[in-house]
Amino acid sequence: MINDSLGHTYGDRFLQEVSERIKKSAEGFDVTIARMGGDEFTRICQNVET
């Protein structure tokens, strides 16, 4: 919706901000973060007790 209404430049900026927030939320954890495509992100956490 962002790309359609505001353009790809704003869509890219939005994804960059989201990725920064995801990275900050994972600080201190042994985690791998990947953008799977489009607006999908995956976090793989190691050594986490449930």
Side-chain angles (χ1 to χ4, degrees), residues 22 31-37 39-45:
I22 292 171
V31 62
T32 301
I33 302 170
R35 179 175 172 214
M36 302 305 289
D39 59 356
E40 299 173 348
F41 292 85
T42 298
R43 293 189 307 181
I44 300 172
C45 302

Side-chain angles (χ1 to χ4, degrees), residues 2-3 5-17:
I2 293 173
N3 285 344
S5 62
L6 301 174
H8 290 280
T9 299
Y10 286 101
D12 291 345
R13 288 182 186 172
F14 177 78
L15 287 174
Q16 290 170 356
E17 179 64 30

